[in-house]
Amino acid sequence: MSLDPVSLQVMANALRAVAEEMEAALVRSAFSPNIKERRDCSTALFDAGGRMVVQSASIPVHLGAMPEAVEAVRTRGAVPGEVWVVNDPYRGGTHLPDLTMISPIALGGEDAPAAYAVTRAHHADVGGMAPGSMPAGSRELLQEGLVIPPVRLVRGGEPVTDVLDLLLANTRTPGEREGDLRAQLAAHRLAERRLEEVS
C-alpha cells in the first residue's frame, strides 16, 4: 500500500497526536509527583511487527528500550483485550521503578493485533531495600525491588486481580501505585479509542 505525501503526513500527524494525547492523559490522571509533576513517563505506538511508529516527546532512555519490551510481550502471545506489564531490565525494562504497559490493539473487527500501545512510567516505589527502589548500596537487582517479567495485568478487558494484588503488596505506597497503574491503563484505553477513530 502506498500513500501520497499529503495523506502520509496527515496519517503521521494523526498517530503522533494519539501518542501525545496518551501522555497527556497519563500525566493528568497520575497520582505521584514523579509522573504528574516531573513527567517521568513516555508513550508510543508500535505497528503489528513490533516497530515503533510514533512516540510522545518524552524521556529518550524510555523510548530506546521500549522495542525490546514490546518484543518480549509479542513472544508471549499477547492478544487484543490484554494489557501486559513488565519492568525486567533483561526484557526491555530500564530500571525497576519504570513500569511498562503494553496492549495489543485490533482494528476494524480483526482478531490479530494491528498495533501496540505502550506506556512507561517511573513509579515512586516498587519495593526493595529502600524507599524509592533505587538504593545506592544495592549489589544485586532484587535489592532494588520487585522484578516483573512480562505478565498480563488485564485479560479479556478485566484486570487480573492476583497480579495487581502482587504488585501492590510489594510497595510501600499501594494507594499511589494503584492510582498510577490505573492512569497508565486509562492511557491505553484512550489509545484504543483514538486508533479506531483514525483507522
Side-chain angles (χ1 to χ4, degrees), residues 124-173:
D125 187 87
V126 289
M129 63 190 254
S133 304
M134 295 175 59
S138 64
R139 296 289 178 261
E140 54 187 48
L141 186 59
L142 294 175
Q143 292 174 315
E144 295 181 16
L146 182 65
V147 179
I148 308 164
V151 293
R152 288 177 190 89
L153 186 60
V154 173
R155 176 183 281 143
E158 295 297 321
V160 180
T161 54
D162 292 345
V163 173
L164 182 60
D165 290 346
L166 177 68
L167 295 176
L168 298 180
N170 282 280
T171 179
R172 294 166 182 87
T173 52

Side-chain angles (χ1 to χ4, degrees), residues 16-72:
R16 189 171 296 109
V18 173
E20 290 172 358
E21 191 176 358
M22 286 171 64
E23 182 179 2
L26 173 55
V27 168
R28 280 195 315 266
S29 55
F31 280 42
S32 70
N34 278 352
I35 302 167
K36 195 170 216 48
E37 295 171 18
R38 290 180 48 233
R39 295 177 179 259
D40 195 347
C41 60
S42 301
T43 59
L45 297 173
F46 286 72
D47 68 11
R51 295 170 299 220
M52 187 181 291
V53 177
V54 293
Q55 62 192 42
S56 61
S58 41
I59 313 286
V61 71
H62 286 181
L63 300 165
M66 276 185 181
E68 288 183 41
V70 172
E71 189 56 32

Side-chain angles (χ1 to χ4, degrees), residues 73-134:
V73 166
R74 289 180 72 238
T75 60
R76 298 287 304 272
V79 297
E82 297 177 338
V83 180
W84 291 67
V85 63
V86 60
N87 75 346
D88 186 343
Y90 297 103
R91 294 180 178 137
T94 47
H95 60 166
L96 297 185
D98 284 342
L99 299 187
T100 303
M101 285 191 192
I102 300 160
S103 58
I105 298 173
L107 299 173
E110 296 291 324
D111 292 331
Y116 294 87
V118 185
T119 60
R120 178 169 284 170
H122 183 117
H123 288 250
D125 187 87
V126 289
M129 63 190 254
S133 304
M134 295 175 59

